[in-house]
């Protein structure tokens, strides 16, 4: 839908909103960056103090799978969104609004290179702990008849993923390979994968952008591709999630914690590990196929910015994980990828630009640019409605939900942010093209606590979602306040 929703489609979502809340939806805006590669339109509707997320998607079978799984997971007490309304004949449904902070956003805001803040590690531990509840507890009685497009991660599913990688990544990246030799390896790998116990729910896309954090607790989305399968696939998806770029030591720590969790269900660690790294490889290949299809074939260049992270994971695996089966043609193809000048160029361009975003108070000095370039943007948010004037908001910040909800309901805030983000997007595009490495953006308000913080956080999410660049956020006044 290209981020656009036809008026009649929007009317369906507004009707569902009014049926649920008995008030009209006063605002309906697409959530930029949340369409990903799926083609779903995701709309936030608000009115009368209520908000909800509307989904428009023309694949009925996938909509049915999502709704059925959601109802099932909620019966098991799992943290997934409440369904507010559905109109399957009109390709629409309405969900609980879980906010804007994904696990990926939270990780990005709480790291400095490989140094991950304890609160981000703890968020990951909560996500890891929830996984067996989906796979084992809810997997026992889920209705696999509604799975789309396959009921299990079987020989056909694996073949689709491996060929996706071969034709949309290897071939389009220009990596040489022997078709027949690679097919032999694929057959051997498939047989090995199918030997793992696979009577569990396979979430299929258990990664950092499909987990929302609200008040420190994880909530889960995008399991509509789920099917019956092996335990190893989903934890591999989370720990080898490309752009999350988890340090190897943290990956191992989280894997050990997952193994402790599944031991409570009688799963043997050694038996699990026998097949684990084969599933890591197949998950990375599936992701590379998607990057190649969207990036090389559909020419959506931002998908290719994830390729260097996948190559980094493959390089680590080559030195640290030995498979119990021989896959010479596949390993040779991986080495060809790692030595490819074309793919190395992607790696070079992946870290060309870092956008540093600040919030500050105009009562103090503006943030200084330590890059030596000078310039950048300074946006004055004092023209916007000030939550700090209301007693209920005074102890809160622009990262707290009540303040965010208040500002999200102000049309002037949306106009201000749209103008600011348009200017920043233009500079990001130019800076990236010209190979610049640093851009500074600052938002100021009276106290540096509400409006400027909110706008800085919004811009960070916008840039992380749409551009695949490195983003760092600092809230100058909140740091002084210890918040």
């Amino acid at each position: 839908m290209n981020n656009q929703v036809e008026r009649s489609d929007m009317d369906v979502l507004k009707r569902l909103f009014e049926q649920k809340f008995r008030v009209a939806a006063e605002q309906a805006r697409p959530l930029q960056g949340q369409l990903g590669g799926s083609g779903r339109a995701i709309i936030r509707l608000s009115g009368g103090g209520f908000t909800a997320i509307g989904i428009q998607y023309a694949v009925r079978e996938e909509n049915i799978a999502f709704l059925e799984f959601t109802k099932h997971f909620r019966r098991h007490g799992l943290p997934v969104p409440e369904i507010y309304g559905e109109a399957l004949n009109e390709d629409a449904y309405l969900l609980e609004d879980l906010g804007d902070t994904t696990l990926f956003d939270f990780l990005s805001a709480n790291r400095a290179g490989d140094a991950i803040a304890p609160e981000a590690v703890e968020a990951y531990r909560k996500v890891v702990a929830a996984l067996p509840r989906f796979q084992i507890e809810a997997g026992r009685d889920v209705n696999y008849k509604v799975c789309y497009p396959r009921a299990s991660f079987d020989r056909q599913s694996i073949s689709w993923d491996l060929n996706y990688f071969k034709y949309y990544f290897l071939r389009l990246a220009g990596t040489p390979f022997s078709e027949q030799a690679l097919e032999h390896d694929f057959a051997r790998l498939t047989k090995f994968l199918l030997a793992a116990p696979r009577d569990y729910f396979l979430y299929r896309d258990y990664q950092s952008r499909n987990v929302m954090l609200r008040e420190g607790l994880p909530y889960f989305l995008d399991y509509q591709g789920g099917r019956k399968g092996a335990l190893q696939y989903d934890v591999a998806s989370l720990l080898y999630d490309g752009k999350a770029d988890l340090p190897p030591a943290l990956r191992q720590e989280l894997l050990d914690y997952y193994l402790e969790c599944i031991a409570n269900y009688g799963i043997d660690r050694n038996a699990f590990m026998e097949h684990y790294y084969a599933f890591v490889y197949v998950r990375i290949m599936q992701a590379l196929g998607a990057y190649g299809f969207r990036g090389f074939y559909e020419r959506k260049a931002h998908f290719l910015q994830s390729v260097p992270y996948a190559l980094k994971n493959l390089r680590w695996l080559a030195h640290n994980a030995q498979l119990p089966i021989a896959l010479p043609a596949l390993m040779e193809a991986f080495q060809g990828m790692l030595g490819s000048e074309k793919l190395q160029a992607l790696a070079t361009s992946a870290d060309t630009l870092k956008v540093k975003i600040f919030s500050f108070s105009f009562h103090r000095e503006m943030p200084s640019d330590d890059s030596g370039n000078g310039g950048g943007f300074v946006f004055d948010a004092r023209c916007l409605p000030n939550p700090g004037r209301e007693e209920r908001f005074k102890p809160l910040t622009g990262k707290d939900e009540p303040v965010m909800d208040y500002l999200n309901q102000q049309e002037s805030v949306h106009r201000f942010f749209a103008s600011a983000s348009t200017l920043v997007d233009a500079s990001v595009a130019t800076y990236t093209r010209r190979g610049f490495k640093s851009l500074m953006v600052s938002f100021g308000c009276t106290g540096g606590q509400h409006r400027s913080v909110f706008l800085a956080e919004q811009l960070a999410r916008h840039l992380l979602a749409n551009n695949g660049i490195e983003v760092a956020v600092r809230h100058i006044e909140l740091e002084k306040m210890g918040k």
Side-chain angles (χ1 to χ4, degrees):
M1 292 188 180
N2 300 320
N3 272 357
Q4 299 297 318
V5 180
E6 298 293 337
R7 181 174 299 277
S8 60
D9 295 338
M10 191 74 80
D11 288 345
V12 174
L13 297 175
K14 288 183 175 180
R15 187 183 75 234
L16 291 174
F17 185 94
E18 188 166 352
Q19 288 172 352
K20 170 64 181 177
F21 298 111
R22 306 301 178 191
V23 295
E26 299 163 359
Q27 294 183 3
R29 60 187 181 94
L31 296 184
Q32 295 185 26
Q34 294 196 29
L35 293 178
S38 72
R40 290 193 306 278
I42 305 175
I43 313 296
R44 172 171 281 132
L45 298 98
S46 59
F50 300 102
T51 67
I53 300 297
I55 309 293
Q56 276 284 335
Y57 191 43
V59 181
R60 179 183 177 87
E61 297 89 348
E62 195 167 296
N63 292 341
I64 290 172
F66 178 83
L67 295 170
E68 177 76 15
F69 290 155
T70 299
K71 294 168 187 175
H72 179 75
F73 294 150
R74 287 184 66 85
R75 287 194 293 268
H76 278 267
L78 286 163
V80 297
E82 181 182 348
I83 299 169
Y84 287 158
E86 52 188 88
L88 278 173
N89 290 335
E90 297 168 277
D91 302 324
Y93 50 93
L94 194 71
L95 299 174
E96 178 184 4
D97 187 348
L98 298 174
D100 294 301
T101 303
T102 67
L103 178 62
F104 179 79
D105 296 334
F106 192 72
L107 172 68
S108 300
N110 288 278
R111 75 182 302 170
D114 280 353
I116 311 296
E119 51 265 42
V121 175
E122 181 58 28
Y124 262 89
R125 286 177 65 86
K126 290 175 182 176
V127 172
V128 166
L131 180 53
R133 296 184 61 203
F134 284 96
Q135 296 176 307
I136 301 172
E137 293 181 19
R140 291 184 182 125
D141 57 347
V142 70
N143 180 11
Y144 288 108
K145 293 180 180 179
V146 302
C147 293
Y148 177 81
R150 298 289 290 179
S152 69
F153 194 61
D154 54 11
R155 190 176 304 277
Q156 182 65 71
S157 287
I158 296 170
S159 175
W160 284 342
D161 283 357
L162 295 178
N163 283 302
Y164 199 41
F165 164 71
K166 179 171 67 173
Y167 293 119
Y168 284 108
F169 189 82
L170 282 183
R171 182 150 288 171
L172 297 182
T175 303
F177 61 90
S178 166
E179 184 101 27
Q180 189 58 63
L182 195 59
E183 280 300 314
H184 284 316
D185 279 4
F186 282 175
R188 196 176 297 114
L189 175 59
T190 300
K191 182 179 179 181
F192 182 71
L193 293 170
L194 292 176
R198 49 196 176 97
D199 196 24
Y200 307 99
F201 181 77
L202 190 152
Y203 193 111
R204 183 62 170 167
D205 204 13
Y206 201 80
Q207 47 99 349
S208 62
R209 287 178 179 79
N210 291 336
V211 181
M212 309 302 297
L213 294 179
R214 187 171 69 181
E215 298 179 357
L217 298 176
Y219 292 80
F220 298 88
L221 298 168
D222 279 8
Y223 34 73
Q224 60 274 357
R227 61 201 70 178
K228 185 178 288 189
L231 294 172
Q232 291 89 342
Y233 188 96
D234 289 328
V235 70
S237 300
L238 180 69
L239 301 186
Y240 288 83
D241 177 6
K243 281 189 180 178
D245 195 24
L246 296 181
L250 178 57
R251 278 204 308 253
Q252 186 61 50
E253 176 189 333
L254 294 171
L255 176 61
D256 288 340
Y257 182 51
Y258 175 77
L259 291 168
E260 291 175 20
C261 293
I262 61 174
N264 296 324
Y265 298 91
I267 307 298
D268 179 72
R269 178 191 182 104
N270 292 332
F272 177 93
M273 290 304 300
E274 181 182 357
H275 294 91
Y276 174 64
Y277 284 109
F279 278 95
V280 173
Y281 272 115
V282 83
R283 172 60 184 182
I284 291 173
M285 284 189 279
Q286 187 276 335
L288 283 167
Y291 302 153
F293 177 73
R294 299 297 183 185
F296 293 133
Y297 182 74
E298 294 189 335
R299 301 188 181 280
K300 297 176 180 176
H302 65 281
F303 282 95
L304 297 177
Q305 293 169 346
S306 294
V307 170
Y309 301 101
L311 297 181
K312 180 180 178 181
N313 286 335
L314 287 175
R315 186 175 291 108
W316 184 90
L317 289 166
H319 289 92
N320 295 278
Q322 185 172 356
L323 294 178
I325 56 172
L327 302 170
L330 181 58
M331 294 303 156
E332 185 177 342
F334 288 152
Q335 288 304 314
M337 290 161 50
L338 293 173
S340 164
E341 290 186 7
K342 179 177 181 178
L343 297 181
Q344 287 302 317
L346 295 177
T348 302
S349 66
D351 63 349
T352 53
L353 179 64
K354 179 176 182 178
V355 180
K356 294 174 288 185
I357 306 173
F358 294 85
S359 67
F360 71 96
S361 165
F362 275 106
H363 287 317
R364 305 179 188 270
E365 290 184 6
M366 289 190 293
S368 59
D369 182 5
D370 58 6
S371 71
N373 297 321
F377 294 98
V378 178
F379 295 107
D380 186 348
R382 289 176 293 183
C383 60
L384 301 176
N386 185 4
R389 291 181 178 175
E390 297 192 27
E391 198 65 35
R392 57 186 171 133
F393 295 135
K394 284 185 177 179
L396 303 179
T397 77
K399 295 197 289 184
D400 292 315
E401 283 195 32
V403 175
M404 293 169 63
D405 289 344
Y406 171 84
L407 291 170
N408 269 322
Q409 292 172 24
Q410 311 299 320
E411 186 61 35
S412 59
V413 173
H414 291 300
R415 288 197 300 269
F416 185 97
F417 180 76
S419 298
S421 60
T422 297
L423 289 170
V424 173
D425 285 344
S427 286
V428 165
T430 301
Y431 279 31
T432 300
R433 187 173 65 251
R434 296 180 64 185
F436 294 175
K437 295 186 181 297
S438 179
L439 174 64
M440 183 172 169
V441 182
S442 300
F443 292 94
C445 64
T446 305
Q449 181 178 337
H450 298 103
R451 294 165 291 183
S452 59
V453 170
F454 171 82
L455 291 164
E457 291 286 325
Q458 291 292 103
L459 182 63
R461 292 191 188 97
H462 171 79
L463 292 177
L464 284 167
N466 288 285
N467 297 292
I469 58 179
E470 185 179 352
V471 176
V473 184
R474 283 190 61 192
H475 301 296
I476 304 300
E477 290 305 309
L478 297 196
E479 290 175 6
K480 295 174 182 176
M481 297 162 61
K483 293 189 177 183

